[in-house]
Amino acid sequence: MAKPCILDFTKSELTQMVKPSFRAKQIWGWVYHQYTTTFEEMANLPKAMREELENTYTIMPLKIARKECSSDGTIKYLFELGDGKTVETVWLKMKDESIDDEGNVENEARYTVCVSTQVGCKVGCSFCLTAKGGFTRDLSAGEIVAQVLAVKADNGLAASKRLNIVYMGMGEPLDNLENLAKAITIFKDEDGLSISGKRQTVSTSGLSSKIDKLGEMDLGVHIAISLHAVDDELRTELIPMNKAYNIASIIDAVKRFPIDTRKRVMFEYLVIKNKNDDLVSAKKLVKLLHGIKAKVNLIFFNPYEGSEYERPTRADMVKFRDYLDAHGVLCTIRDSKGLDISAACGQLKEKDLKEGAQ
Ligand code: SAH
Ligand code: SF4
């Protein structure tokens, strides 16, 4: 039987498993602050304990299979899991002066890690490359945690350096809610990576009932809704699951979600040429978001070989943004980072599969 991975446990679970219990905090420090990947190196643990741990547990459940660096500082990783399956993780560096959700101006370099939660995805969005490969399996909490740990270590980032996490890689996070919640808890632990809930954003295609469940867990995380369309007909074409969880049900769930009073709910709006890039859609969007403290992110559709949709023009994007701006909806155009590498979700994995087949 495969050995359990130490990253799969919360600190309180580890405290139950390792005696005396203060050892759990020491192990935690080695793993999350020193990026140690063998128990042998944990110098302040007795030798016998190190050997026992080595025989009982593993530490890092993934390895770098492929890495692409973009000229803007974005790094895209393809990680290989224990069973040979692969997932993508993106490391984004934002150097420029920026204004955070609370209105503070930040000059310091900020880092965001975009993590995957599943191998593949069940939702099957028509514009998404990840969907094309179907669903393989959920990631464990440890495999989610490991992505952040591995990119932090690979970039030699000081343990104390804060970063943000967005659950926007491969997979639908709310379809793997139990492991997601555990990973969020492990990330938040102040003896570990210490990434507070407000620095973690769960992006969902809109499983309304699970949005409620996440809210009830009171983890203090943010949500981003992948809205993409303002009427149910187009949204169902883009996201088939919209038949079961329509726009109205999502908006209702958002209104029930516990949100820090200083924060906003993010709505992702994937702009597709001649589908949803017109001002009639912009007008409907303003109406839909009325009464919600929202922030809209306009995303350029990122085409890939064989994709049935096209990238919108920048001029149409700007018009759309200006309309929202003029009508009091906070809105930014999200320039695809790392456009010179395989930027959108699922594209590096696709490339790896193709090259592997050659
Ligand atoms: N399943 C979740 C999170 C992962 S997808 C969700 O759908 O929200 C993360 C984001 O990538 C989503 O907003 C999705 O719309 C976007 N995305 C997927 N394919 C894309 C493409 N080809 N171009 C641009 N964005 C894309
Ligand atoms: Fe899944 Fe998100 Fe891709 Fe839709 S966009 S198929 S929900 S990963």
Side-chain angles (χ1 to χ4, degrees), residues 135-305:
F135 173 76
T136 305
R137 70 167 174 91
D138 284 332
L139 294 191
S140 66
E143 287 169 332
I144 298 172
V145 170
Q147 295 170 59
V148 176
L149 199 54
V151 286
K152 214 175 162 188
D154 190 51
N155 289 283
L157 210 68
S160 59
K161 181 74 198 164
R162 304 222 174 233
L163 38 77
N164 301 313
I165 297 175
V166 290
Y167 298 90
M168 283 187 192
M170 304 170 81
E172 167 51 51
L174 296 188
D175 192 30
N176 185 15
L177 186 54
E178 207 179 304
N179 293 344
L180 172 80
K182 196 166 186 189
I184 292 170
T185 306
I186 295 171
F187 282 133
K188 282 169 69 174
D189 196 300
E190 288 179 0
D191 290 321
L193 290 166
S194 193
I195 302 167
S196 66
K198 63 179 192 174
R199 289 184 171 272
Q200 302 190 49
T201 303
V202 176
S203 175
T204 177
S205 53
L207 288 157
S208 339
S209 56
K210 298 282 183 72
I211 295 174
D212 282 334
K213 280 215 170 110
L214 181 70
E216 283 158 19
M217 288 175 170
D218 215 15
L219 295 163
V221 290
H222 289 298
I223 43 166
I225 305 293
S226 289
L227 191 65
H228 307 336
V230 286
D231 52 71
D232 281 314
E233 194 184 338
L234 176 62
R235 196 166 191 277
T236 303
E237 177 194 321
L238 300 175
I239 310 173
M241 191 187 69
N242 188 68
K243 265 209 176 95
Y245 302 99
N246 65 12
I247 297 176
S249 79
I250 297 170
I251 297 291
D252 285 349
V254 165
K255 287 181 175 160
R256 289 189 291 266
F257 195 82
I259 297 160
D260 185 321
T261 47
R262 292 163 304 178
K263 294 279 186 175
R264 295 173 178 275
V265 178
M266 192 147 86
F267 286 85
E268 308 278 341
Y269 189 90
L270 181 74
V271 187
I272 304 173
K273 190 174 176 179
N274 296 336
K275 279 279 180 190
N276 60 1
D277 58 351
D278 55 291
L279 291 186
V280 176
S281 300
K283 192 173 175 181
K284 284 190 189 166
L285 186 55
V286 171
K287 212 170 149 197
L288 197 63
L289 299 182
H290 183 76
I292 298 177
K293 239 178 121 189
K295 179 177 160 188
V296 174
N297 256 330
L298 299 178
I299 313 166
F300 284 95
F301 169 68
N302 205 349
Y304 47 89
E305 210 184 302

